[in-house]
Amino acid sequence: KQEVTQIPAALSVPEGENLVLNCSFTDSAIYNLQWFRQDPGKGLTSLLLIQSSQREQTSGRLNASLDKSSGRSTLYIAASQPGDSATYLCAVSPGDNTDKLIFGTGTRLQVFP
Amino acid sequence: KAGVTQTPRYLIKTRGQQVTLSCSPISGHRSVSWYQQTPGQGLQFLFEYFSETQRNKGNFPGRFSGRQFSNSRSEMNVSTLELGDSALYLCASSLVGLAGTNEQFFGPGTRLTVL
């Protein structure tokens, strides 16, 4: 059974810092991995999607990497801003004939001025 | 292009009642999935529909059901509500078949409170 874990559970940093969020999964047989952010009480916003054959994806100040063999992904946020404060979730898709996502526990990020 | 929409946004029900939630996917998206989010259990997969067929189902009791219409809009129904059904229900859609990406786009959710 696929399990997804995110470390740390919470993070508080001053504005301007570069930071790394970690995601690990127990079964390397994944189709893709997706990173989301969620603001309190809101839906999920897709940040990056990495196909199983890819090693990384970049969007602006965000960079996500994937090491399928070791069951790990990292989300790197450069030059953090207070607007980055949110919960970050990673999710894996287990197969190529389903859109089912298995979510991690999330990392709650607070960036203070 | 409009995003995923969900109605209603907020709902208050009492135990024993039933509820129907609605989800309209992004135009052209044919796959719709439903998730339940609670503080204790996090985000859990309910079910997934593609071309009006349930393609996958999570580990929830039969009180939770869904369907998809020919225009890809989807509804989920919860019968005989229990206090533990209080949650944020999220719907996601994807454009199946486009380079196999199946990137998921989520709606704002329906906040269900069961009293």
Side-chain angles (χ1 to χ4, degrees):
Chain A
K1 178 189 170 188
Q2 178 73 272
E3 293 184 358
V4 183
T5 306
Q6 291 185 246
I7 294 173
L11 190 59
S12 183
V13 300
E15 182 177 7
E17 276 206 4
N18 301 324
L19 49 97
V20 176
L21 307 183
N22 296 292
C23 171
S24 61
F25 46 95
T26 55
D27 187 344
S28 62
I30 64 169
Y31 188 58
N32 60 42
L33 183 146
Q34 200 166 348
W35 281 93
F36 298 89
R37 71 171 277 168
Q38 184 176 32
D39 294 288
K42 301 292 178 65
L44 277 63
T45 300
S46 177
L47 297 173
L48 290 165
L49 177 142
I50 312 177
Q51 298 292 344
S52 61
S53 59
Q54 297 175 322
R55 297 286 293 183
E56 66 177 331
Q57 284 285 344
T58 298
S59 176
R61 294 182 294 109
L62 304 179
N63 175 277
S65 67
L66 173 64
D67 184 344
K68 208 173 76 156
S69 61
S70 67
R72 292 181 182 181
S73 176
T74 60
L75 179 66
Y76 176 82
I77 303 177
S80 58
Q81 303 170 357
D84 294 331
S85 299
T87 296
Y88 290 80
L89 295 148
C90 72
V92 299
S93 177
D96 63 0
N97 194 35
T98 178
D99 282 351
K100 172 182 177 179
L101 290 175
I102 300 169
F103 280 87
T105 45
T107 294
R108 185 177 299 176
L109 172 66
Q110 182 181 14
V111 181
F112 54 90
Chain B
K1 187 183 272 190
V4 179
T5 58
Q6 293 187 244
T7 57
R9 295 292 312 280
Y10 303 92
L11 208 49
I12 299 176
K13 293 285 188 179
T14 56
R15 279 178 297 175
Q17 288 187 308
Q18 75 163 17
V19 66
T20 299
L21 312 182
S22 180
C23 171
S24 292
I26 293 172
S27 177
H29 284 196
R30 298 163 62 197
S31 171
V32 173
S33 300
W34 289 89
Y35 295 83
Q36 180 196 65
Q37 186 177 32
T38 59
Q41 298 297 318
L43 271 154
Q44 293 185 288
F45 172 78
L46 279 158
F47 27 64
E48 168 198 356
Y49 288 88
F50 174 69
S51 293
E52 302 178 65
T53 300
Q54 188 180 84
R55 191 160 68 164
N56 213 334
K57 189 177 189 303
N59 189 27
F60 278 81
R63 300 185 297 108
F64 292 81
S65 62
R67 59 178 176 168
Q68 186 180 34
F69 302 94
S70 58
N71 62 358
S72 294
R73 189 177 71 85
S74 177
E75 289 181 347
M76 68 163 282
N77 184 77
V78 188
S79 62
T80 319
L81 284 165
E82 300 177 359
L83 295 178
D85 297 334
S86 294
L88 181 66
Y89 289 88
L90 293 162
C91 162
S93 74
S94 77
L95 180 58
V96 177
L98 183 64
T101 65
N102 73 326
E103 183 175 3
Q104 303 288 301
F105 297 90
F106 280 77
T110 294
R111 171 73 64 186
L112 172 65
T113 302
V114 182
L115 302 176

